[in-house]
C-alpha cells in the first residue's frame, strides 16, 4: 500500500498457489481475502464476516447480516440446469478490488499511485477431478480454538522477536511475518468454513487469527 503496509502476498504451497489480501493496517495482518489455485476462495467484510465463498462447485455471495444474496454453480461441474453467474465486482478497500467473471476468470486488482497490478486466481476444474477430491478433515470446536490460539501465540512471539531485533517501531512493523504463519492462518480459516460450527464461533476464530 502507499502506507508501506503489505497488501498482497502470493505463497506457493506444494503444488498450489495461495493469494492473500491483507488490510491496510500497521500492526495487524487482517486477512480480507484468500484465493487458491485449487478453486477455493473466500472474501471477508472489514469486520471479518464472510462476503463471498467459492469452491470447485460454485459460490455464494452474502450480505453483512449473513443472508445469502446470490448463489451460482460453475457450468462445467453442473450436469443439468444450473444457476449462472452474473459478473461480480467488489472493492475490499480503496486499493484492492475483486472481479469474478467465470471459474477461470477471477481477477484481483491492486491500484495505487497511478499504477496497477492484476492477478488471475481463477482455475478450470473438471467434474472428474472434483469427484476425485479427498473428503475434508473435520475438527471439533475445541480443536479449532486451540489451533487458532496456537497461531495467535506464534504471531505474538514473532512480533516480540521483531521488536527486540529492531527497536524502532517504524522498522519492525514493515517486516513481513513468516510465510508459515500466514499459511497456518489460511488453513484454519478453511477448516472453519468446512466445520459444522456456529457463526459466532467461526467469527471468534477469525478474530483470534486476524488480531
Amino acid at each position: 500500500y502507499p502506507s508501506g503496509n503489505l497488501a498482497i502476498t502470493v505463497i506457493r504451497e506444494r503444488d498450489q498457489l495461495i493469494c492473500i489480501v491483507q488490510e491496510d493496517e500497521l500492526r495487524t495482518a487482517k486477512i480480507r481475502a484468500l484465493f487458491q489455485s485449487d478453486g477455493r476462495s473466500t472474501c471477508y467484510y472489514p469486520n471479518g464476516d464472510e462476503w463471498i465463498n467459492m469452491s470447485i462447485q460454485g459460490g455464494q455471495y452474502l450480505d453483512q447480516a449473513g443472508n445469502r444474496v446470490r448463489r451460482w454453480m460453475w457450468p462445467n461441474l453442473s450436469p443439468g440446469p444450473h444457476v449462472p453467474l452474473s459478473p461480480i465486482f467488489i472493492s475490499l478497500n480503496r486499493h484492492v478490488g475483486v472481479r469474478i467473471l467465470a471459474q477461470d476468470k477471477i481477477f484481483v486488482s491492486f491500484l495505487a499511485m497511478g499504477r496497477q497490478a492484476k492477478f488471475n486466481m481463477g482455475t478450470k476444474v473438471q467434474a472428474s477431478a472434483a469427484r476425485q477430491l479427498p473428503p475434508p478433515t473435520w475438527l471439533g470446536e475445541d480443536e479449532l480454538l486451540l489451533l487458532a490460539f496456537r497461531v495467535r501465540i506464534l504471531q505474538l512471539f514473532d512480533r516480540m522477536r521483531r521488536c527486540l531485533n529492531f527497536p524502532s517501531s517504524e522498522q519492525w512493523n514493515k517486516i513481513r511475518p513468516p510465510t508459515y504463519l500466514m499459511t497456518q492462518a489460511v488453513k484454519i480459516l478453511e477448516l472453519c468454513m468446512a466445520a459444522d460450527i456456529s457463526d459466532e464461533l467461526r467469527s471468534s476464530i477469525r478474530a483470534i487469527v486476524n488480531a
Side-chain angles (χ1 to χ4, degrees):
Y1 291 106
S3 63
N5 298 324
L6 186 63
I8 298 174
T9 303
V10 178
I11 299 172
R12 178 176 292 278
E13 186 182 52
R14 296 182 182 177
D15 59 346
Q16 74 165 317
L17 294 175
I18 302 174
C19 177
I20 303 173
V21 181
Q22 297 176 213
E23 189 53 275
D24 186 9
E25 295 179 349
L26 182 61
R27 298 198 174 190
T28 65
K30 182 181 293 184
I31 296 175
R32 292 299 311 278
L34 305 171
F35 301 91
Q36 301 184 82
S37 58
D38 65 358
R40 293 176 295 170
S41 302
T42 308
C43 300
Y44 301 97
Y45 284 104
N47 64 357
D49 290 342
E50 183 183 328
W51 194 343
I52 294 176
N53 186 357
M54 292 177 285
S55 68
I56 58 173
Q57 285 82 25
Q60 62 178 359
Y61 183 114
L62 306 175
D63 63 19
Q64 289 188 281
N67 302 310
R68 182 186 295 158
V69 176
R70 216 184 296 183
R71 185 179 184 181
W72 67 92
M73 298 292 291
W74 303 123
N76 63 313
L77 293 176
S78 180
H82 65 277
V83 180
L85 167 68
S86 298
I88 294 174
F89 177 77
I90 62 172
S91 295
L92 296 178
N93 53 42
R94 59 183 298 184
H95 296 290
V96 184
V98 177
R99 188 181 296 272
I100 305 170
L101 305 178
Q103 187 184 28
D104 58 344
K105 295 179 181 178
I106 301 174
F107 299 100
V108 182
S109 59
F110 176 79
L111 178 63
M113 297 180 289
R115 305 185 68 179
Q116 184 180 36
K118 184 180 291 186
F119 306 86
N120 185 1
M121 291 304 297
T123 186
K124 204 73 170 179
V125 181
Q126 299 301 321
S128 58
R131 289 194 294 266
Q132 295 171 3
L133 288 177
T137 301
W138 302 103
L139 295 177
E141 296 181 357
D142 293 341
E143 293 170 303
L144 289 170
L145 278 172
L146 285 173
L147 287 173
F149 279 120
R150 178 181 179 275
V151 169
R152 181 59 185 147
I153 290 171
L154 291 174
Q155 290 172 342
L156 291 172
F157 275 127
D158 176 68
R159 185 169 296 176
M160 290 172 59
R161 178 184 57 79
R162 284 184 283 162
C163 183
L164 291 172
N165 292 337
F166 303 95
S168 172
S169 62
E170 293 183 359
Q171 291 180 324
W172 65 263
N173 273 326
K174 293 182 180 180
I175 299 175
R176 291 177 55 180
T179 300
Y180 77 91
L181 284 180
M182 301 181 68
T183 302
Q184 289 186 21
V186 169
K187 288 182 177 179
I188 292 173
L189 292 175
E190 288 178 1
L191 291 171
C192 282
M193 295 308 304
D196 184 18
I197 60 177
S198 66
D199 291 338
E200 183 179 0
L201 178 59
R202 192 174 286 116
S203 297
S204 298
I205 291 175
R206 279 199 300 263
I208 293 170
V209 172
N210 289 324

